[in-house]
């Protein structure tokens, strides 16, 4: 880089969320930190727009949105649920490449790929070619969470290693190796060990004290999945801790009819909302959280030290959340329940057990991933 680039490096950050909003939230937190550290950040998003993301302090480029056409991520659809065709994909690809050339970045960060987001190869492989031919050539990094979806199809991991060795300068693993190491969910890690940097978990700062107290907070991430968890929690609220205040956060993507039904069925000690901007603060004041085991939700739980019951998302063969929930339970930091066949009786018994235990201590887990990731990019 030239001296001017070192003072204000230009960063091009690609993130594609397909089902929930966890990838977008994590990438947005990192992008905001880099912007505050003096980087000129362009964030390219390709999912359904989410209010508040990626944030006001970055240059945002929004591609025509695509979503997962099923919980198993087997295809791509537009916002209306219609499968996308070649004309649509070609237009997206051209917009992405135009954005890259306009930004003329010093550093490119691609979230998840090539470990995931194979569906986006139609635009990401041409982006890799554009990066390779750019003069000067920007440095290229993959940004991944600590626990990966484990591949079952032969050759997939080898393909990932090939792309990393041919194109990428490094892999930013947003986790603490003392909590979980990449090789636990990516068996060919040894082949790319020279490229890996652990950043710590990308977690928020300790939120302010809440302005409203709920004893038990139930959340379902973005809400595209998790309806059964919300329903079971609603039924549990009429049987246990009935003298406590419950908050059920369904997520913005829960279908309207489901939201209306849940609201109508809620007993007097339960409030049902789609979203709470002060969600982390609410966890700080709560006695118990009931949620899935997504990366960002767990980050909030670790920062606030809230008791938690985790019901990991497993539809479509997903394994990531189950690994995280099991690891946290083994460390005494959470209780875990299976998503498949979850019953109200199971949940009631686990709530009683959780409330009888002391709040967990998370002092031994590195939660400084936001700051460390920004520092790594800033020093390039």
């Amino acid at each position: 880089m030239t001296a001017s680039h070192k003072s204000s490096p230009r960063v091009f950050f690609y993130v594609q969320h397909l089902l929930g909003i966890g990838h977008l939230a994590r990438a947005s937190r990192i992008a905001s930190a880099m912007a505050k550290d003096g980087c000129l950040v362009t964030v390219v998003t390709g999912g359904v727009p989410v209010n508040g993301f990626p944030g006001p302090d970055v240059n945002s480029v929004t591609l025509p949105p695509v979503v997962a056409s099923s919980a198993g991520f087997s295809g791509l659809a537009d916002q209306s649920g219609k499968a996308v065709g070649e004309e649509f994909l070609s237009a997206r690809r051209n917009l992405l490449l135009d954005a890259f050339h306009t930004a003329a970045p010093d550093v490119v960060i691609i979230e998840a790929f090539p470990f995931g987001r194979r569906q986006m190869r139609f635009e990401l492989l041409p982006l890799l070619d554009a990066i390779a031919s750019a003069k000067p050539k920007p440095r290229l990094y993959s940004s991944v969470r600590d626990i990966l979806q484990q591949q079952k199809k032969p050759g997939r991991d080898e393909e990932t290693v090939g792309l990393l060795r041919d194109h990428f300068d490094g892999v930013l693993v947003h986790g603490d190796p003392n909590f979980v190491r990449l090789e636990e969910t990516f068996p060919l890690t040894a082949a790319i060990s020279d490229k890996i940097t652990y950043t710590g978990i990308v977690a928020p700062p300790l939120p302010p004290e809440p302005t409203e107290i709920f004893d038990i907070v139930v959340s379902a991430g973005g809400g595209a999945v998790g309806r059964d968890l919300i329903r079971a929690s609603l039924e549990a609220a009429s049987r246990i801790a009935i003298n406590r205040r419950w908050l059920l956060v369904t997520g913005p993507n829960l279908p309207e009819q489901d939201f209306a039904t849940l609201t109508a069925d809620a007993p007097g000690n339960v409030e049902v909302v789609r979203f709470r901007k002060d969600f982390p603060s609410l966890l700080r004041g709560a006695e118990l959280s009931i949620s899935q085991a997504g990366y960002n939700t767990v980050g909030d739980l670790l920062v606030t030290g809230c008791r938690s019951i985790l019901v990991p998302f497993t539809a479509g063969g997903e394994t990531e959340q189950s690994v995280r929930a099991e690891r946290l339970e083994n460390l005494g930091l959470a209780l875990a329940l299976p998503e498949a066949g979850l019953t109200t009786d199971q949940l009631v018994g686990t709530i009683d057990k959780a409330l009888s235990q002391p709040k967990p201590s998370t002092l031994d887990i590195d939660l400084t991933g936001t700051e460390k990731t920004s520092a790594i990019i800033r020093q390039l």
Side-chain angles (χ1 to χ4, degrees), residues 142-161:
S142 176
S143 167
V144 295
R145 65 191 178 211
D146 51 357
I147 301 170
L148 302 180
Q149 171 66 14
Q150 296 175 60
Q151 295 293 342
K152 297 180 180 178
K153 294 186 178 180
R156 287 284 175 85
D157 289 341
E158 288 80 3
E159 178 185 326
T160 297
V161 168

Side-chain angles (χ1 to χ4, degrees), residues 79-359:
Q79 283 182 273
S80 67
K82 180 181 177 182
V84 294
E86 180 52 42
E87 184 177 352
F88 181 101
L89 299 179
S90 179
R92 258 190 65 121
R93 180 167 53 241
N94 291 338
L95 288 171
L96 173 61
L97 295 176
D98 287 345
F100 167 73
H101 291 301
T102 298
D106 305 303
V107 180
V108 177
I109 303 173
I110 302 179
E111 202 277 332
F113 188 78
F115 296 92
R117 296 296 182 260
R118 284 177 52 85
Q119 309 95 317
M120 314 312 297
R121 286 177 299 166
F122 72 91
E123 63 187 10
L124 289 178
L125 293 181
L127 177 61
L128 296 187
D129 290 339
I131 291 168
S133 60
K135 298 186 186 307
K137 179 180 177 293
R139 296 178 68 83
L140 174 60
Y141 288 83
S142 176
S143 167
V144 295
R145 65 191 178 211
D146 51 357
I147 301 170
L148 302 180
Q149 171 66 14
Q150 296 175 60
Q151 295 293 342
K152 297 180 180 178
K153 294 186 178 180
R156 287 284 175 85
D157 289 341
E158 288 80 3
E159 178 185 326
T160 297
V161 168
L163 286 168
L164 288 167
R165 298 231 61 93
D166 291 345
H167 294 278
F168 287 77
D169 295 288
V171 178
L172 303 173
V173 180
H174 302 304
D176 179 348
N178 294 316
F179 173 61
V180 62
R181 297 188 63 84
L182 187 64
E183 53 263 34
E184 295 181 52
T185 52
F186 186 70
L188 300 185
T189 296
I192 54 168
S193 59
D194 58 316
K195 295 184 180 291
I196 292 173
T197 300
Y198 287 94
T199 69
I201 294 173
V202 174
L206 182 67
E209 293 281 357
T211 58
E212 187 176 15
I213 296 292
F214 291 93
D215 300 293
I216 300 176
V217 177
V218 184
S219 58
V225 294
R227 177 180 57 190
D228 292 344
L229 170 60
I230 293 291
R231 168 55 66 182
S233 298
L234 188 66
E235 294 171 357
S238 64
R239 293 173 48 184
I240 192 170
I242 58 176
N243 61 335
R244 296 177 185 261
R245 291 191 74 197
W246 290 61
L247 178 69
L248 272 58
V249 186
T250 68
N253 298 326
L254 184 76
E256 182 58 40
Q257 182 58 52
D258 290 332
F259 181 80
T261 300
L262 289 167
T263 302
D265 292 346
N269 62 326
V270 178
E271 183 174 335
V272 182
V273 299
R274 284 193 174 277
F275 179 76
R276 284 288 296 241
K277 188 176 182 180
D278 60 345
F279 177 74
S281 290
L282 295 177
L283 292 181
R284 183 173 178 181
E287 292 298 316
L288 175 65
S289 164
I290 304 171
S291 70
Q292 295 177 321
Y295 183 100
N296 295 294
T297 298
V298 167
D300 287 327
L301 290 169
L302 293 174
V303 165
T304 57
C306 186
R307 298 180 188 87
S308 61
I309 297 172
L310 300 175
V311 184
F313 171 62
T314 56
E318 286 289 299
T319 59
E320 172 242 337
Q321 291 197 13
S322 294
V323 173
R324 181 174 296 109
E326 180 181 350
R327 182 58 52 87
L328 289 166
E329 184 170 49
N330 290 341
L331 292 173
L333 300 177
L335 295 175
L337 288 173
E339 178 185 52
L342 177 67
T343 67
T344 303
D345 286 342
Q346 279 181 310
L347 189 56
V348 166
T350 308
I351 290 170
D352 189 50
K353 181 179 179 181
L355 289 173
S356 70
Q357 296 179 346
K359 288 194 172 185

Side-chain angles (χ1 to χ4, degrees), residues 53-66:
F53 296 104
D57 43 5
V58 303
N59 176 39
S60 180
V61 175
T62 304
L63 301 177
V66 293

